Amino acid sequence: MTDPTPTQISPIAALQDREPSKPPRSQWRDVWDQFKHHKGAMLGGGFLLFVTLAVLFGDLIWQIDPKKLDIRNKDIRPIFNAIWDSGAKVSWSHPLGTDNLGRDHLAQIIAGGRASMAVGWAAMLLTMLIGTSIGVMAGFFKRLDGPLMRFTDLVLSLPILPLMLVAVTLFRQPLRASFGPETGMFILIVGVIGVTSWMQTARIVRGDILAIKEREFVLAARASGTTARGIIFRHLLPNVLSPIMVSATLGLATAIITESALSFLGVGFPSDFPTWGKMLADAVPRMQEFPERVMLPGIMISLTVLSVNYLGDGLRDALDPRIRGR
Amino acid sequence: MLTFTIRRLVLAIPTLLIISLVIFLLLQMAPGDPMAQVPLTVPPEVKEKMREALGLGQPLHVQFWKWLVQVFWIEPKVFIDFLTRDSWLLGWLPDTSLYQGELRVISWQTRSPVMDIVVQRLPQTLWVVGMSYIVGILIAIPIGIYSAYRQYSVFDQAGTFVTMIGFSIPPFFTGPLLIVIFSVQLGWFPFIYDTTHVVNDWDSFVYQLKQMIMPVMVLALQTTAQISRFMRASVLDNLNQDYVRTARAKGLSEAVVVMIHVLRNSMIPVITVIALGVPGIFGGAIITEVVFSVNGIGQLLITALFANDLPMVQTLTFMFAVLIVLFNLIADILYGVLDPRIRYD
């Protein structure tokens, strides 16, 4: 046997592996590319980032204490009033004016935004935590499905806003006594919003889990001996991340509005602790003389919520693989 | 369909019972004392007697049971008596006089039956809220149809933007905003809703219209935002269907295709959304009523809450819950009735 001379086999052109023209792309890169095309979402995301940074670090730049009373400089109008009313009482040291006790409005907006955003983010995280865990449990464990979904239906048929008002007025005193007026109120409002707004998330997550649970990759994971815990955390949760993110943006918007509504109705934070809703509510009685005190916090709430909503819209488009790439 | 309706109705009873129990237990934890306003000179044993007179001395289950009996047994009797005695609808029937002077649900604030106060307040809420809902729907449906028909046009983009604004601006901001613009700057509309106003001639009718415009618009903005979104999505779904192509191929005009074929089919999900939104608008109306001082149900709830008037809060919250359960049921049934493809059995 002579060694066969190794002939150079030249593969047929059709079977040739062409080099991939570009490196593989991760899912998140695709999402980002789609997201970039949504102008509203980009603007919204940018504004949300700006507001978050402004309320976090704004007091390093604008160093007036929002609670400092300066009764000599009370009722200063915002600086832009001088454009149409040359006799208006304006001052560059208080660009957005002061209120009836001489507290600086810009500093209050920054401090109030910090409270509103903190409540919004915390309540949103709590909502997502409750909603996702209930949704996952109901979707994954067949025995829990019935009771948990009946429970969800029951909570959905509770009148939320009246019950929220009841709960806040009832638990205000004990929580404020044990955690101090501001922390107690923060815990209470975040808790109340979280407990009353997780239902939609739970339903969406359950539906998706039910569908994904039957797919082959979960079967494969189960066959290779992955525990229920492993399947949930490694295989199911990453796959339901996109609906969770979309409902998270909705949750953030609702939480900000709910906190402001509670403050507006007078059951929110204590009166010397500014939040946007509180500032708006305090300004309403003197709306005729000082309309800007209603407008500024109102515009801040509305713009923030609007940008969060646009962000959610863009995220929904970007995370949906059927729409992506079109 | 009938079995489905009956099953849902039967299921609604335990749901409502559990909800009322939840509300009751929540209120029982209230730290407030209804005797807080009583002067300090009143001796404690008298105070104890007053407390018992309010029904507070009894154990919890007795209190809950009595409330249930009052709401589900005595109040309907009063209502039937009212129907057969005073209403024009059934007034020709002989007076039933079922109500024999039993204790009704009594408000702690006014010491009068809660239901009487609710009946006084109901017309204001129904006028403002009901009108705003109808106005909102009437605006939303044409917007939804047109922006779906011309998808991605300027009108559609503008509609989407307005919808987003409607979602994002809360009523406690739109309310003061409208007041600043239209009452303070322009002076067109009054900013307090005058409930004692009686409509008896043209001028008073115009005044009534003027005072209703702002609260109605605030509420209608939110309704419009939601419903036009649904309408747009629903029409978009239907425009790509085969039957639309068939209708066009038959040579029907665009107006007939859109306004008859597509509209009828795309109204099905929208009508259920409209039904589901009715209780929500009552809840949302609380803020609007506070802003415009409409003394309706929402304002009644707020004042009762601040005054620690537990029977009033309990009954009102329960009524909101009944509305939610009822309209969920109506939405489900409507869906089955309107869409023959849906079968519940």
Side-chain angles (χ1 to χ4, degrees):
Chain A
M1 292 288 284
T2 54
D3 285 340
T5 47
T7 46
Q8 204 67 38
I9 306 169
S10 60
I12 318 169
L15 292 178
Q16 222 163 11
D17 275 341
R18 265 170 300 176
E19 286 293 310
S21 55
K22 48 187 175 182
R25 298 159 58 83
S26 74
Q27 182 201 1
W28 294 106
R29 208 183 152 96
D30 277 353
V31 170
W32 170 244
D33 281 350
Q34 175 70 25
F35 186 76
K36 272 192 303 194
H37 288 296
H38 198 300
K39 274 195 217 96
M42 286 301 281
L43 271 178
F47 185 77
L48 186 66
L49 198 66
F50 165 73
V51 168
T52 313
L53 290 179
V55 299
L56 276 181
F57 303 111
D59 61 341
L60 300 179
I61 300 164
W62 191 253
Q63 287 175 332
I64 296 182
D65 180 10
K67 294 181 185 171
K68 186 181 164 238
L69 305 183
D70 183 6
I71 210 73
R72 280 172 208 280
N73 285 323
K74 70 169 185 173
D75 290 341
I76 291 183
R77 311 298 298 264
I79 200 79
F80 48 79
N81 269 34
I83 299 172
W84 61 84
D85 178 10
S86 54
K89 183 179 165 191
V90 295
S91 153
W92 276 110
S93 57
H94 299 289
L96 293 183
T98 55
D99 68 358
N100 53 348
L101 294 173
R103 291 175 293 195
D104 183 67
H105 224 120
L106 181 57
Q108 275 199 311
I109 292 249
I110 291 170
R114 183 180 292 179
S116 291
M117 296 298 275
V119 169
W121 281 101
M124 183 268 275
L125 288 179
L126 184 64
T127 308
M128 289 307 120
L129 193 69
I130 301 176
T132 310
S133 32
I134 288 191
V136 167
M137 279 197 290
F140 193 75
F141 302 107
K142 221 169 241 156
R143 254 180 309 138
L144 291 176
D145 191 16
L148 278 180
M149 281 299 112
R150 289 295 80 71
F151 178 62
T152 311
D153 287 347
L154 187 76
V155 181
L156 268 176
S157 40
L158 288 172
I160 294 301
L161 187 62
L163 275 190
M164 244 186 229
L165 292 174
V166 171
V168 174
T169 31
L170 297 189
F171 298 114
R172 193 157 36 170
Q173 290 309 328
L175 274 173
R176 281 171 78 158
S178 43
F179 293 100
E182 279 142 32
T183 328
M185 216 54 215
F186 182 81
I187 295 174
L188 179 58
I189 290 184
V190 167
V192 163
I193 296 177
V195 165
T196 51
S197 49
W198 50 268
M199 292 84 73
Q200 294 302 338
T201 317
R203 281 187 158 183
I204 295 170
V205 169
R206 170 187 170 264
D208 280 13
I209 292 274
L210 275 181
I212 295 172
K213 198 176 70 169
E214 304 300 327
R215 298 260 288 272
E216 283 81 2
F217 70 91
V218 180
L219 191 66
R222 205 187 290 263
S224 57
T226 320
T227 54
R229 207 186 127 94
I231 292 180
I232 290 176
F233 282 101
R234 205 170 314 144
H235 298 287
L236 294 182
L237 275 185
N239 277 299
V240 292
L241 198 60
S242 41
I244 293 179
M245 277 170 70
V246 173
S247 63
T249 53
L250 276 181
L252 180 60
T254 336
I256 293 175
I257 287 196
T258 313
E259 185 274 320
S260 310
L262 289 178
S263 297
F264 183 81
L265 290 174
V267 294
F269 283 95
S271 54
D272 57 342
F273 186 75
T275 73
W276 286 340
K278 186 101 214 132
M279 291 168 68
L280 207 165
D282 289 346
V284 165
R286 295 183 74 198
M287 190 161 55
Q288 278 178 297
E289 299 97 336
F290 304 102
E292 71 272 3
R293 288 185 199 161
V294 176
M295 307 298 266
L296 286 173
I299 288 174
M300 287 312 290
I301 296 172
S302 308
L303 276 184
T304 311
V305 175
L306 188 68
S307 64
V308 173
N309 276 338
Y310 262 112
L311 183 70
D313 215 33
L315 266 184
R316 183 168 40 225
D317 285 358
L319 289 171
D320 189 344
R322 284 168 304 177
I323 297 180
R324 204 188 303 148
R326 265 206 277 157
Chain B
M1 200 67 228
L2 189 67
T3 34
F4 170 76
T5 313
I6 294 170
R7 199 170 62 221
R8 285 293 306 266
L9 271 176
V10 172
L11 262 179
I13 296 171
T15 313
L16 283 177
L17 278 179
I18 295 175
I19 289 175
S20 61
L21 184 65
V22 168
I23 301 170
F24 178 78
L25 289 179
L26 195 61
L27 286 176
Q28 283 307 310
M29 291 188 279
D33 183 8
M35 293 290 109
Q37 300 298 323
V38 174
L40 289 173
T41 48
V42 175
E45 60 267 22
V46 179
K47 260 192 191 174
E48 201 52 46
K49 285 220 170 106
M50 290 166 78
R51 208 166 270 147
E52 272 170 30
L54 290 175
L56 278 176
Q58 307 278 355
L60 280 186
H61 60 275
V62 178
Q63 286 187 36
F64 184 56
W65 175 249
K66 284 194 167 169
W67 181 82
L68 280 182
V69 169
Q70 284 170 344
V71 168
F72 286 103
W73 184 239
I74 297 175
E75 293 296 340
K77 286 205 281 190
V78 175
F79 183 64
I80 292 172
D81 278 359
F82 161 78
L83 277 184
T84 54
R85 190 169 51 236
D86 297 323
S87 71
W88 53 268
L89 186 66
L90 293 168
W92 46 274
L93 284 170
D95 191 354
T96 41
S97 58
L98 291 167
Y99 174 63
Q100 301 292 344
E102 295 100 330
L103 193 62
R104 299 171 62 187
V105 188
I106 300 290
S107 154
W108 288 349
Q109 272 172 302
T110 60
R111 309 288 144 110
S112 62
V114 168
M115 281 299 167
D116 288 359
I117 307 174
V118 170
V119 168
Q120 286 168 11
R121 299 292 189 98
L122 205 54
Q124 286 85 275
T125 298
L126 280 184
W127 260 112
V128 175
V129 175
M131 190 60 81
S132 71
Y133 209 50
I134 293 169
V135 168
I137 292 168
L138 287 183
I139 300 176
I141 286 180
I143 292 183
I145 296 172
Y146 194 75
S147 44
Y149 191 67
R150 297 244 179 274
Q151 198 188 359
Y152 302 130
S153 66
V154 179
F155 183 86
D156 184 26
Q157 306 276 357
T160 312
F161 183 67
V162 172
T163 317
M164 275 295 189
I165 288 185
F167 271 124
S168 309
I169 304 191
F172 52 84
F173 180 47
T174 30
L177 187 71
L178 287 189
I179 291 180
V180 166
I181 296 173
F182 291 107
S183 301
V184 179
Q185 305 288 340
L186 299 173
W188 288 355
F189 308 123
F191 56 83
I192 286 184
Y193 187 91
D194 178 8
T195 7
T196 57
H197 181 71
V198 183
V199 179
N200 47 15
D201 55 1
W202 178 250
D203 285 344
S204 60
F205 174 73
V206 170
Y207 185 79
Q208 173 71 16
L209 217 56
K210 273 186 176 175
Q211 70 173 357
M212 275 181 69
I213 283 181
M214 286 202 298
V216 165
M217 277 304 150
V218 166
L219 285 172
L221 177 67
Q222 308 216 309
T223 317
T224 312
Q226 266 180 22
I227 292 180
S228 69
R229 218 76 271 262
F230 274 107
M231 193 70 207
R232 176 177 179 273
S234 174
V235 173
L236 272 182
D237 271 356
N238 274 290
L239 276 176
N240 292 328
Q241 302 261 333
D242 290 338
Y243 74 86
V244 178
R245 198 181 311 128
T246 313
R248 283 188 179 137
K250 281 197 299 186
L252 296 181
S253 68
E254 276 301 283
V256 173
V257 171
V258 176
M259 297 311 291
I260 295 179
H261 288 65
V262 173
L263 180 63
R264 283 180 56 159
N265 279 293
S266 42
M267 279 307 280
I268 297 170
V270 176
I271 284 182
T272 59
V273 170
I274 291 174
L276 283 178
V278 172
I281 203 86
F282 273 92
I286 294 177
I287 291 168
T288 318
E289 284 182 1
V290 170
V291 170
F292 290 101
S293 319
V294 181
N295 64 347
I297 302 247
Q299 211 207 21
L300 185 64
L301 179 74
I302 296 276
T303 44
L305 206 56
F306 290 152
N308 245 319
D309 185 354
L310 297 192
M312 179 82 91
V313 175
Q314 160 111 26
T315 313
L316 279 177
T317 323
F318 182 67
M319 281 170 63
F320 285 127
V322 171
L323 278 177
I324 294 177
V325 172
L326 187 71
F327 277 95
N328 277 350
L329 183 63
I330 290 179
D332 277 359
I333 294 174
L334 268 182
Y335 205 53
V337 169
L338 293 175
D339 192 344
R341 286 168 298 187
I342 307 281
R343 279 287 159 264
Y344 289 117
D345 309 311

